[in-house]
Amino acid sequence: AAALLAEIREEVDRADRKAQSALAAAGVAIGVLLAGLIAGHWSPFQLARSMQCLWWAGIVAAVGGLWCLASSVYPRGRRRELTSPGMVAYFGDAVRFRSPAELASALRSSADTNLERLADQIFRMSMIVDRKYRFVMGGMWLLFAAAAGCFAAVIGNVALR
């Protein structure tokens, strides 16, 4: 069980790295686009009306993709009910105690329920990994749709001329 928990924690790190890499790549692409817009060399309003709709749909998809990726890496500190009074299963349980002495006492009693604690951690960490990967996958698909939509709008506009 302890080895499984370690693997799950590694998977959380992998999901975070994937989301961070995708956010960085999207940031570069958005920076290039904004540089062109700010310099005044190009504007989406120069596109044909039909291509503008495709362009703005791509922008909406990009915003959704960025939101998904950011949601994946955003830390959540949700409070939860203790599984057993006095049991310490994760850091959120530890911060509920008023003193280190109370925490130490709870840790001693938690040592007797190690399997229950590991099961609780495996369950919660598995839920975190699942949520992170769902956000990463959704973000990647939305960014792909955004790139395809914006690219098609620009190419379609050239073809219409």
Side-chain angles (χ1 to χ4, degrees):
L4 177 60
L5 183 57
E7 289 175 20
I8 293 169
R9 287 185 174 142
E10 289 173 14
E11 201 62 41
V12 167
D13 290 339
R14 278 192 288 275
D16 281 342
R17 283 193 303 272
K18 288 176 184 178
Q20 291 165 355
S21 296
L23 275 170
V28 169
I30 290 169
V32 168
L33 178 65
L34 287 176
L37 290 171
I38 291 170
H41 296 298
W42 183 81
S43 169
F45 299 109
Q46 295 171 344
L47 296 171
R49 177 79 70 201
S50 60
M51 295 298 112
Q52 280 187 33
C53 292
L54 189 55
W55 172 266
W56 291 112
I59 297 301
V60 168
V63 168
L66 291 171
W67 181 85
C68 284
L69 293 172
S71 294
S72 174
V73 296
Y74 185 78
R76 288 172 181 79
R78 190 176 345 149
R79 292 220 181 260
R80 68 176 179 93
E81 296 299 319
L82 291 172
T83 51
S84 300
M87 181 178 155
V88 182
Y90 84 123
F91 74 91
D93 293 339
V95 299
R96 293 180 183 205
F97 294 96
R98 291 178 289 199
S99 71
E102 283 184 20
L103 177 59
S105 174
L107 287 169
R108 278 189 286 281
S109 66
S110 293
D112 297 334
T113 58
N114 195 36
L115 184 59
E116 183 181 329
R117 186 174 74 84
L118 281 173
D120 182 64
Q121 282 291 292
I122 289 169
F123 177 78
R124 293 188 187 283
M125 293 298 290
S126 296
M127 299 288 284
I128 289 169
V129 169
D130 182 64
R131 182 179 59 238
K132 283 181 177 289
Y133 273 124
R134 287 178 191 270
F135 276 130
V136 170
M137 286 187 295
M140 296 295 288
W141 279 108
L142 284 168
L143 288 176
F144 174 74
C150 292
F151 182 74
V154 171
I155 297 300
N157 194 64
V158 170
L160 290 175
R161 288 185 182 182

